[in-house]
Each structure stands twice: as structure tokens, then as C-alpha cells.
Amino acid sequence: MTAGNDGANKPEDDDPFGYLYEDGQAAGAQPPRQGGYGYPPAAPQPGVPRTSYNQVRAVGERQYGQQVPHQQPYGHPNAQYAAPGPYPGGAPTTHVPQQGGRGHTGGPGKGGPNTKGLLLGAVAVVLVVLIGIGAALITGEDNKDKKKEEAISSTGPGSQVEESPKPKESASSEAPAELPKQDAATLKLGGSATLDQAIKGAEGPNGSYVTGFNSVGSSVTWKANMPTGGSYRLTVRYAIPAKDANATLTVNGKPNSQPIGLKNFVHSSDPDWEKNWQTTWAPVDLIKGENEISISCQEGNQCDVILDWLEVTPAKG
């Protein structure tokens, strides 16, 4: 720094704090008396040293306004702490109200989404749903009560209730009627036919069977009472001396188209009667009620046979 003060706008006057230093005082630096921070300095005059671009004031020299002796209300700043703007010479400061953002409700100082409106809308929707469910339940109960009352009134005294028709049972589901069976010992015998018990294996009472059947004119007659008419089988149990036999079958006075075969179906070679018991059958047409069935030995028949019992059985398909 160059000593001395030779005129205006000297470099030593560029230092705003020059007057604080000894060399600055020796150079003639003076404390600022006008201008200052935020205020334009006075116009330079010829012969007057330039002080600074910004003058510095001493502490306590600047006044911000009269102190308020009492506490200010909330929201009103104290004057002694106010920014330089509100005072003369400062930049104007005007409060700009904050604009509402997205979802602004229009109220002063309020912004953001309209949460209160959304909440009210959601509550209203829930109430509508609950009311609808309650109405549906009440309607359902009313309909049930109404149907119950109608059912009670329709079955009350003096009313007639039609029962649904029961399904008819088919013939296949019905138990088959018991068909007649007759032991030969209780049959009506004709010709030389007689009862005997000498040969074992007969199933009649006391082992009785019909013998003496091998002469022309011998016969057994049975009156079978049938529950229904139709086609049946006449089954006969018999025994032979290991050789085929046959006889004439008559139903209700009408001879059958062919003789009833009393063959050696067991293919026995032993002539022992006791070892040759077997069964055979012939088709017959019977009427409902009493039917006369006769087996007889006629011309052309081979009747060397003994008879145990006769039975009507269902016809096979």
C-alpha cells in the first residue's frame, strides 16, 4: 500500500477498513459518514478522497425502527427483527399467497388432494352396499314366510291335498309267483302205476315214487293251479336203468306235439336205478287257474322209468 493521500480515488481508499489500520490512518483514511451496505454512496467530488464502494457503519448506528415495548401477537414479526425490505431504501417484499396444488379445495392456505371428500364418498358407497344386502335378506325372509303360510293354509281343515301318484312297479321288480310242485306219490295214478319205496334216492314222502309205468295205459295225472297263464316248463325228476325212455305228455286234454324225453342225460352205464336219478323238462302252455297235466305210457313209448315229482318252472328266454 502506498503512503499518502494525493487526491480522489486513491487505491488506499478502496479498503473500507483502512481507517482501522495505522498505515491507513497515516494515509488519511476516514470512517464512512454516508452511504453503507445496501445504499449507494455519495457522488465523488474533486479533491475529496474516495471512501469505498460500500460504506460500513459502526455497530448500533443503523436504526431498524422503534422498539415495541410489548410482545407482538403470534404471526406478526417483531420490528427489530424485520428484514431490511420493509424499511426505506430496501427492496420491497410482498407476501405472495401460495397457490393450491393438485386437488386444491379452494380454501385459503390449503392444498393437496381432497381427502375429506374421498373419505365421505367411500363411506357413502359402503352404506349403499349394506342397505342393499339388508333389503335382500329381508325380502328373502318375507318370501320364505309367505310360502310357509301358503303351505299351512293349503293343508288346513277342509282342504284336499293331492298326493303324487306312486310309480307303478314293473313286472320284473315283483317277486315271482310261487309255481306249483307235486310229489308223484300224491298224483292220481292210472293203469298199472303204483307206489313203491324200495329204490333209494327218491325225494317224495318217506322216499315214495311211482313204479309199474312201463305198460301201455299207465299214467299219472296232476291238476296244477296257475296264478297266471302263459308259457312254462314242466320239469320231471325220474330214474332209468341207464337207458333212454319217453312218455306222452297231455295238457288240458290236448296231447303235446312231441313226447317228453326221459333220456340218460347223465350217461350212466350202471343199470342200478339208485345211481340214475336225474331231471328233464318239456315246454307247456298253461292257463290261469286249474290245469290238468298228464304223463302216460302210450303205443310207441318206451316207458321203463320210475317217477319222483313234477314241477312247473318259468320258461327260459
Side-chain angles (χ1 to χ4, degrees):
M1 182 180 293
T2 305
N5 186 0
D6 297 331
N9 302 324
K10 295 296 183 179
E12 61 269 16
D13 292 333
D14 289 342
D15 188 355
F17 300 101
Y19 69 94
L20 299 177
Y21 311 125
E22 291 183 359
D23 53 353
Q25 293 178 2
Q30 298 296 325
R33 299 184 180 277
Q34 59 184 356
Y37 179 79
Y39 299 92
Q45 297 180 5
V48 178
R50 175 185 167 190
T51 57
S52 174
Y53 292 105
N54 295 307
Q55 300 298 327
V56 179
R57 293 186 180 183
V59 177
E61 179 178 353
R62 183 175 182 182
Q63 300 296 325
Y64 290 92
Q66 185 178 1
Q67 287 187 343
V68 180
H70 57 84
Q71 180 68 28
Q72 294 294 329
Y74 177 76
H76 297 276
N78 197 316
Q80 60 180 335
Y81 298 110
Y87 296 93
T93 57
T94 304
H95 176 70
V96 179
Q98 183 179 1
Q99 298 295 328
R102 184 177 181 182
H104 180 59
T105 58
K110 296 182 179 179
N114 188 1
T115 56
K116 185 176 181 180
L118 294 176
L119 180 60
L120 291 176
V123 172
V125 171
V126 172
L127 289 177
V128 170
V129 172
L130 292 177
I131 292 173
I133 293 174
L137 292 176
I138 293 174
T139 304
E141 293 296 332
D142 291 342
N143 291 336
K144 290 181 179 178
D145 294 340
K146 185 176 180 180
K147 292 180 179 179
K148 186 175 181 181
E149 291 176 358
E150 291 176 354
I152 293 174
S153 61
S154 63
T155 57
S159 61
Q160 295 181 354
V161 180
E162 295 183 358
E163 296 182 358
S164 58
K166 295 182 179 180
K168 296 182 179 179
E169 297 182 355
S170 61
S172 60
S173 64
E174 296 179 355
E178 185 177 358
L179 299 178
K181 180 179 179 181
Q182 190 76 25
D183 293 324
T186 59
L187 296 176
K188 181 181 177 181
L189 304 180
S192 60
T194 59
L195 295 178
D196 200 352
Q197 300 174 348
I199 300 174
K200 305 299 182 182
E203 298 176 353
N206 301 318
S208 299
Y209 56 88
V210 175
T211 188
F213 196 72
N214 59 348
S215 61
V216 175
S218 298
S219 67
V220 293
T221 305
W222 174 36
K223 291 189 177 181
N225 192 3
M226 297 299 297
T228 57
S231 297
Y232 294 92
R233 286 182 176 184
L234 177 65
T235 303
V236 180
R237 188 172 188 263
Y238 64 98
I240 54 177
K243 61 181 181 180
D244 293 340
N246 58 59
T248 300
L249 175 63
T250 304
V251 178
N252 296 325
K254 181 180 180 181
N256 209 29
S257 59
Q258 58 185 4
I260 182 170
L262 304 169
K263 294 183 179 182
N264 183 17
F265 292 110
V266 296
H267 305 289
S268 174
S269 59
D270 190 344
D272 188 352
W273 296 79
E274 186 177 342
K275 296 179 180 179
N276 292 283
W277 288 105
Q278 52 198 299
T279 59
T280 186
W281 65 272
V284 292
D285 291 327
L286 304 177
I287 62 174
K288 182 179 179 181
E290 189 176 76
N291 293 265
E292 185 177 85
I293 302 173
S294 177
I295 299 177
S296 62
C297 184
Q298 303 295 333
E299 292 291 341
N301 294 139
Q302 298 176 1
C303 305
D304 196 6
V305 63
I306 58 176
L307 304 175
D308 188 9
W309 49 256
L310 282 69
E311 180 182 16
V312 176
T313 57
K316 303 298 182 180

